[in-house]
């Protein structure tokens, strides 16, 4: 009993939620943390007027991986989790029935079975049923989910891959890494077709933070990209590969960013969610619970229930019904 209390208190103090993902129906979401736990929450129950505190606690928590889980992704069928070694797929229908056996597991290729790189980022091409995984061995892997096999390896980064984004109309994937580059890959050939180095741009340089890239996102038109980390967050025109605006956060590194409507949302190493115009104008900055944010996700599957989730180094996952203030928090404890 004492050991259980100590573990519960340790988790309360030291939990980091690295990612969240919404269910296909938009009524639920899952979170993943540094203890290897996956938790399932009900959005619908939490959004009912006068919802009780219990509605903001997990419906289900289970051990998904032995080590930390760094990334989550949702498809129409699966919740996919990327851990310190393997990648697992969990059927949403099973999770709703509280069945927690993975439908499949993938193991990234490695010449040394004792040194498999963690999966830091996931992306999914629905039209091809292809999963992309960005790993700590500096590679991006392309997986045929129907066959459960690795189709190709995209090599070129010289340090950990931290983030991925798809440009599906152009059959491209973009990857950001600790080496300070954003690289563009042709998904048909697995070859690199371009790269940029934001830290080499004078107006983006922040030597005190380093060159690493921690977030990359593409807008719905696939004409614009936002990226950042050590260098200042910046917007790039993809046809010309030119930086068009700087989204300046002098005191922090941005670790998560996304396009939402005609705005950009970002957050990172301070307890703040930023809202920007694409031209770099800061529209708002709203406090959040986590001192360091790793995940920003908007539920786009339910237009009448759109909600922003903000997660990081806290057992609390903040929920924003509009972008002006935090409405409430879900809690893992």
């Amino acid at each position: 009993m004492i050991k259980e209390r100590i573990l519960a208190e340790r988790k309360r103090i030291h939990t980091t939620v690295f990612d969240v993902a919404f269910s296909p129906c938009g009524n639920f979401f899952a979170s993943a943390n540094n203890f290897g736990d996956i938790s399932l929450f009900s959005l619908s129950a939490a959004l009912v007027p006068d919802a009780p505190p219990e509605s903001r606690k997990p419906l289900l928590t289970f051990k998904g991986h032995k080590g930390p889980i760094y990334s989550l992704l949702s498809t129409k069928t699966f919740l996919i989790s990327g851990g310190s070694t393997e990648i697992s797929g969990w059927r949403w229908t099973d999770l709703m029935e509280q069945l927690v056996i993975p439908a499949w597991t993938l193991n990234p290729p490695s010449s040394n079975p004792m040194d498999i790189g963690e999966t830091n980022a996931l992306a999914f091409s629905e039209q091809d049923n292809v999963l992309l995984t960005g790993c700590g061995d500096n590679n991006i892997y392309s997986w045929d989910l129907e066959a459960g096999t690795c189709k190709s390896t995209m090599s070129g980064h010289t340090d950990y891959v931290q983030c991925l984004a798809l440009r599906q109309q152009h059959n491209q994937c973009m990857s950001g890494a600790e080496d300070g580059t954003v690289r563009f890959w042709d998904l048909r050939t697995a070859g690199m077709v371009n790269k940029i180095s934001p830290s080499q741009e004078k107006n983006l340089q922040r030597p005190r933070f380093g060159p690493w890239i921690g977030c990359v996102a593409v807008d719905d038109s696939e004409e614009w990209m936002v990226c950042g980390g050590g260098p200042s967050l910046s917007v790039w025109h993809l046809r010309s590969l030119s930086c068009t605006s700087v989204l300046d956060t002098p005191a922090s590194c941005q670790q998560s960013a996304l396009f939402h409507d005609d705005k950009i949302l970002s957050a990172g190493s301070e307890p703040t969610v930023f809202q920007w115009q694409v031209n770099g104008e800061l529209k708002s900055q709203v406090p959040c619970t986590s001192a360091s944010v790793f995940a920003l996700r908007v539920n786009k599957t339910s237009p009448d229930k759109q909600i922003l989730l903000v997660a990081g180094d806290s057992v609390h996952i903040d929920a924003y019904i509009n972008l002006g203030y935090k409405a409430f928090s879900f809690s893992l404890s």
Side-chain angles (χ1 to χ4, degrees):
M1 194 69 174
I2 294 176
K3 284 185 178 180
E4 290 177 358
R5 286 184 196 160
I6 292 173
L7 179 59
E9 183 63 11
R10 177 172 166 242
K11 284 190 172 184
R12 188 187 70 81
I13 296 172
H14 298 294
T15 290
T16 297
V17 176
F18 285 116
D19 213 347
V20 296
F22 293 99
S23 65
C25 65
N27 293 323
F28 302 88
F29 77 89
S31 70
N33 67 29
N34 56 319
F35 290 100
D37 298 328
I38 295 175
S39 296
L40 185 67
F41 295 83
S42 172
L43 272 176
S44 299
L47 292 173
V48 169
D50 302 317
E54 293 75 22
S55 68
R56 291 159 190 171
K57 296 288 182 83
L59 299 171
L60 169 70
T61 295
F62 63 96
K63 194 76 170 176
H65 295 253
K66 291 181 180 178
I69 302 172
Y70 297 105
S71 50
L72 281 181
L73 182 146
S74 181
T75 73
K76 290 180 179 179
T77 304
F78 297 107
L79 173 69
I80 302 173
S81 55
S84 54
T85 53
E86 74 279 6
I87 303 148
S88 296
W90 316 82
R91 290 188 188 277
W92 278 109
T93 51
D94 288 347
L95 294 180
M96 297 306 170
E97 298 294 329
Q98 301 203 359
L99 300 175
V100 294
I101 298 173
W104 47 261
T105 298
L106 305 174
N107 293 292
S110 175
S111 57
N112 181 358
M114 302 302 291
D115 188 27
I116 298 174
E118 72 278 6
T119 299
N120 297 314
L122 297 166
F124 180 66
S125 173
E126 188 172 323
Q127 61 191 27
D128 302 318
N129 199 32
V130 167
L131 176 69
L132 297 162
T133 61
C135 297
D137 62 0
N138 313 341
N139 293 325
I140 301 106
Y141 298 104
S142 172
W143 301 84
D144 181 334
L145 284 190
E146 189 170 339
T149 57
C150 183
K151 291 178 57 181
S152 59
T153 300
M154 288 164 263
S155 299
H157 282 293
T158 58
D159 211 333
Y160 292 6
V161 177
Q162 293 286 19
C163 46
L164 297 174
L166 285 179
R167 198 180 180 205
Q168 295 206 124
Q169 297 170 31
H170 297 77
N171 284 301
Q172 286 185 352
C173 171
M174 274 139 286
S175 58
E178 295 281 332
D179 62 11
T181 66
V182 176
R183 298 181 185 236
F184 299 72
W185 308 90
D186 186 323
L187 294 178
R188 294 161 296 192
T189 66
M192 189 180 76
V193 293
N194 263 312
K195 75 171 181 177
I196 60 171
S197 300
S199 64
Q200 294 181 11
E201 300 282 325
K202 287 187 178 180
N203 58 339
L204 303 180
Q205 290 177 348
R206 298 194 299 179
R208 68 189 184 281
F209 291 134
W212 58 277
I213 300 296
C215 57
V216 60
V218 178
D219 79 325
D220 290 340
S221 73
E222 299 190 353
E223 292 293 321
W224 303 92
M225 177 185 74
V226 61
C227 64
S232 294
L233 197 69
S234 54
V235 177
W236 294 72
H237 182 243
L238 290 175
R239 286 190 186 179
S240 61
L241 283 187
S242 59
C243 178
T244 60
S245 56
V246 180
L247 286 52
D248 196 21
T249 54
S252 65
C253 302
Q254 301 302 280
Q255 298 166 160
S256 186
L258 57 86
F259 286 88
H260 179 56
D261 296 331
D262 59 346
K263 307 289 193 306
I264 294 170
L265 307 180
S266 74
S269 58
E270 64 177 295
T272 306
V273 178
F274 296 93
Q275 182 183 186
W276 310 86
Q277 296 278 26
V278 176
N279 66 5
E281 178 187 351
L282 178 62
K283 297 298 294 181
S284 68
Q285 48 189 101
V286 183
C288 64
T289 301
S290 296
S292 188
V293 175
F294 293 100
L296 293 176
R297 298 288 182 265
V298 174
N299 179 13
K300 295 185 177 181
T301 57
S302 301
D304 58 331
K305 288 184 195 169
Q306 280 205 6
I307 189 168
L308 168 69
L309 296 179
V310 180
D313 60 354
S314 172
V315 293
H316 300 294
I317 300 168
D318 294 339
Y320 298 73
I321 297 173
N322 67 53
L323 300 179
Y325 65 94
K326 178 180 72 176
F328 58 87
S329 297
F330 293 91
S331 179
L332 291 167
S333 64

